[in-house]
Amino acid sequence: LKRVLIAVGFLLLGLIVPYETIKKLIFPIMILIVMSLLLTILVGRLQFGAKRSLAIASVGIQVSEFVRIWLVFFLANFFAAHPQTANTHRGLATVIFISFLVIVLVAVQPSLSMSVICLATLIAMMIYGCARIKLLLATSTIGALMLAIFIRIFPHAQYRITNFISEPTYQVKQSLIAIGSGGLFGKGLGAGLQKFLFLPGIHNDFIFAHIAEELGFAGCIAVFIFYWQIYLRGLSIAGTVDDEFVRLLVLGLNASIFIIFLVHVGVSIGLVPPTGIPLPFISFGGWSLAANLFAVGIILQASRKRLL
């Protein structure tokens, strides 16, 4: 309840604070994010071998969850305000330098999963911003090279990739058992067995597998329809605003939520290497919920100002 109340506060913040105000504060916010990420790396709370949250009093703040939202604001403003520069070498250098600065700081925590989400959001924003193919290829290539370097540096990332190629990890095996045992209509609410420590982190990283076990294939279809409707609604809102910045903002925030959903499901069914990505709006992760509801608040704010 505490996490939900905090997240609802972020929803109201996104709904009430004008995005024009946030737009004017893009670079001050970037400085704040960079400083917070550096502090997290240096003196952050150590959990599971990584420093991903900054402890303030008794609260651990996970700044990396908000990096993708800042990226969407930055890129939406850049493509809307500088449409000519965006498709030049100077524009490419600006986007890559500023975007990869914060993405690298996220990766160094290490949080490779969130850095991949940020990279995917960056590429989605470049597509929505009508960037040229060569700029997209250059950004994707640089991102892939950086990811390969970080995988080489961090042993846990090597372990996950190696096991993904050779055989599923213990968690993925248990996730597949949960999904397969659910059958068509599942075992029933509360009747799942994998939550009894057979599948570690089921309340967060593998909640989709838990849904599949208790609600079956029918429950999985309902979850897919839920996220698909959110995505379609976001596209609908983006198509009815007359401001290019707002259009790109809604498209980017909408895409980031859907990308996280796809990655989470991909991990659960063994199509993507294991990552610690919560399922939006459902998993236990408090700061994930706060960031996603803040994004929803911004989208709803844009929806109130759309053309009829």
Side-chain angles (χ1 to χ4, degrees):
L1 284 176
K2 180 180 70 174
R3 292 172 181 232
V4 170
L5 287 174
I6 293 172
V8 169
F10 276 91
L11 170 67
L12 296 175
L13 197 66
L15 191 59
I16 296 170
V17 178
Y19 41 70
E20 292 88 352
T21 302
I22 302 176
K23 177 182 176 181
K24 295 176 182 177
L25 298 174
I26 286 177
F27 283 99
I29 292 174
M30 183 192 79
I31 294 172
L32 180 62
I33 285 177
V34 169
M35 291 178 61
S36 300
L37 290 174
L38 286 172
L39 282 173
T40 301
I41 295 169
L42 295 173
V43 297
R45 180 185 295 173
L46 187 64
Q47 292 178 307
F48 305 110
K51 293 180 179 180
R52 296 173 185 171
S53 60
L54 187 61
I56 298 178
S58 60
V59 179
I61 301 176
Q62 200 165 341
V63 182
S64 59
E65 286 287 350
F66 294 90
V67 169
R68 58 188 167 87
I69 295 177
W70 177 85
L71 270 175
V72 172
F73 268 94
F74 164 65
L75 294 168
N77 181 56
F78 183 79
F79 284 114
H82 311 283
Q84 302 301 323
T85 309
N87 274 311
T88 63
H89 292 292
R90 179 185 173 187
L92 174 65
T94 303
V95 168
I96 287 180
F97 177 76
I98 296 178
S99 299
F100 277 84
L101 172 64
V102 290
I103 292 175
V104 166
L105 289 176
V106 172
V108 169
Q109 292 182 351
S111 180
L112 292 182
S113 54
M114 185 52 64
S115 62
V116 169
I117 295 296
C118 291
L119 179 61
T121 302
L122 166 63
I123 294 172
M125 285 299 295
M126 294 186 73
I127 293 172
Y128 287 137
C130 299
R132 294 176 184 173
I133 295 296
K134 64 178 182 179
L135 301 187
L136 278 170
L137 290 175
T139 305
S140 302
T141 302
I142 293 173
L145 288 173
M146 290 181 60
L147 183 61
I149 292 171
F150 281 114
I151 290 173
R152 184 69 178 173
I153 293 174
F154 297 116
H156 78 283
Q158 289 186 45
Y159 172 78
R160 289 181 178 182
I161 296 297
T162 302
N163 279 277
F164 174 73
I165 295 173
S166 58
E167 62 174 331
T169 62
Y170 170 79
Q171 281 184 299
V172 174
K173 286 180 180 178
Q174 294 299 319
S175 176
L176 293 174
I177 290 171
I179 294 171
S181 64
L184 187 58
F185 297 108
K187 296 177 178 177
L189 285 174
L193 299 177
Q194 293 299 99
K195 62 191 175 191
F196 296 113
L197 301 183
F198 290 105
L199 179 51
I202 194 171
H203 63 291
N204 200 1
D205 300 347
F206 288 90
I207 196 69
F208 180 80
H210 178 65
I211 294 171
E213 183 183 17
E214 296 200 346
L215 299 180
F217 182 72
C220 294
I221 293 297
V223 169
F224 268 88
I225 291 173
F226 170 72
Y227 286 102
W228 183 241
Q229 285 301 313
I230 292 177
Y231 182 68
L232 289 181
R233 187 59 185 161
L235 293 181
S236 175
I237 293 170
T240 53
V241 294
D242 59 350
D243 188 317
E244 181 65 9
F245 167 73
V246 180
R247 185 185 75 85
L248 291 173
L249 185 63
V250 172
L251 287 173
L253 294 174
N254 191 45
S256 70
I257 294 172
F258 198 69
I259 288 169
I260 294 174
F261 159 67
L262 292 177
V263 171
H264 180 96
V265 173
V267 170
S268 298
I269 61 178
L271 289 180
V272 178
T275 60
I277 295 295
L279 186 62
F281 314 118
I282 297 178
S283 286
F284 184 71
W287 288 111
S288 169
L289 180 62
N292 287 320
L293 284 184
F294 179 74
V296 169
I298 295 291
I299 295 172
L300 290 176
Q301 182 184 159
S303 178
R304 293 191 336 198
K305 300 180 182 180
R306 70 188 186 278
L307 296 173
L308 299 177

